Amino acid sequence: MRLLGRGGAVHAWGAVRSNRLGFGSLTLWSTANSNQPHKVDCPPDAVQVSAGSGHSAILTSRGEVWTFGQGDKGQLGHGDFKDLSSPKKVEALPPCQWLSAGSDHTLVVSKEGFVFGFGNCTYGQLGLGTRAFRVGAPKLLTAFQDLGERISKVTAGYRVSAAITDNGKLYTFGCKNYNSLGHDEQPAMVLFDYLRIGARGAQTVPKLVTALRNQPVEDIHFGKHRLVSAPSHAF
């Protein structure tokens, strides 16, 4: 669990394994849990936090992105595949306005409305048009530029991702199984070995959810195999 206080301080508690809480002084593979909130050693001006399966990301008021925790798929964005016990600034990113930590990938939105992704891309969940096993440094999703779209918000889930444009259109990408992308397609059969998943099993570039074309979307959240969106008039 990660908590952002009103003053910008970040606290964490729960499972300690893979240094995912950001305390900075714990054994890498400790099996202990923290049952009380502890302050994370990070910049004092945090405005957003997001927790993935084993890693976390923090956005500051200056647009900086800091990450920590499990990094074996590159989900921390520092150009390597190492775990981090304390938050570290992702130097390769421009000033950002939004972020989301998925199961083992991370998406961020720059203040210019561009999307960058890093981490696991086995199912196309980075939207890069490829299914790379892992991406260690931030990569620009050029598909949105090709479409002439500016993004305001992203959500990274379990092997899937979604993005909302500045005019409320919803795009999704990643694993097609369980129909969690909302594209009204017959998904490929679920296979646990990623090397055996057919081309139909992965949406490697962002695709518009046409069923919501005329209903602007304001917010989105992923469960493990489902996506929930909220219309703009709900806020």
Side-chain angles (χ1 to χ4, degrees):
M1 175 71 74
R2 322 295 186 267
L3 180 147
L4 175 61
R6 286 188 177 181
V10 177
H11 291 75
W13 62 96
V16 173
R17 184 170 57 88
S18 300
N19 291 320
R20 63 186 63 179
L21 295 186
F23 297 157
S25 60
L26 298 171
T27 303
L28 180 63
W29 293 109
S30 171
T31 58
N33 295 326
S34 174
N35 59 8
Q36 294 184 0
H38 292 272
K39 188 175 181 180
V40 176
D41 184 16
C42 65
D45 60 334
V47 295
Q48 185 191 2
V49 296
S50 183
S53 294
H55 74 294
S56 298
I58 299 170
L59 178 67
T60 72
S61 61
R62 294 162 290 169
E64 297 174 346
V65 173
W66 295 64
T67 59
F68 60 94
Q70 190 171 354
D72 60 319
K73 299 296 193 305
Q75 59 265 53
L76 302 184
H78 301 297
D80 56 31
F81 306 100
K82 300 177 181 178
D83 296 347
L84 283 177
S85 60
S86 297
K88 179 181 178 181
K89 180 182 176 182
V90 182
E91 299 287 354
L93 288 170
C96 294
Q97 62 176 338
W98 192 265
L99 55 75
S100 181
S103 55
D104 50 11
H105 70 292
T106 307
L107 297 177
V108 300
V109 183
S110 75
K111 291 188 175 181
E112 299 298 322
F114 301 134
V115 180
F116 295 82
F118 40 96
N120 190 351
C121 193
T122 302
Y123 299 89
Q125 60 264 53
L126 296 185
L128 302 174
T130 183
R131 294 171 58 190
F133 176 56
R134 55 185 187 176
V135 176
K139 296 291 185 182
L140 176 66
L141 277 70
T142 58
F144 289 123
Q145 290 177 294
D146 296 339
L147 293 167
E149 301 283 19
R150 292 170 61 90
I151 303 303
S152 61
K153 189 178 292 187
V154 291
T155 292
Y158 177 72
R159 301 176 177 174
V160 289
S161 301
I164 300 175
T165 68
D166 56 3
N167 58 1
K169 288 187 285 188
L170 176 63
Y171 287 83
T172 57
F173 43 102
C175 185
K176 292 184 178 183
N177 293 326
Y178 308 104
N179 293 312
S180 53
L181 299 183
H183 297 152
D184 193 25
E185 298 176 348
Q186 187 66 31
M189 181 171 54
V190 178
L191 297 174
F192 295 101
D193 181 356
Y194 80 93
L195 292 174
R196 296 166 57 199
I197 292 179
R200 292 186 300 130
Q203 179 65 44
T204 63
V205 294
K207 183 176 180 179
L208 180 68
V209 179
T210 56
L212 297 174
R213 185 194 302 272
N214 298 318
Q215 186 173 345
V217 174
E218 176 71 22
D219 203 8
I220 44 176
H221 292 280
F222 273 112
K224 185 172 182 179
H225 298 307
R226 61 192 184 277
L227 169 65
V228 178
S229 67
S232 58
H233 62 71
F235 294 83

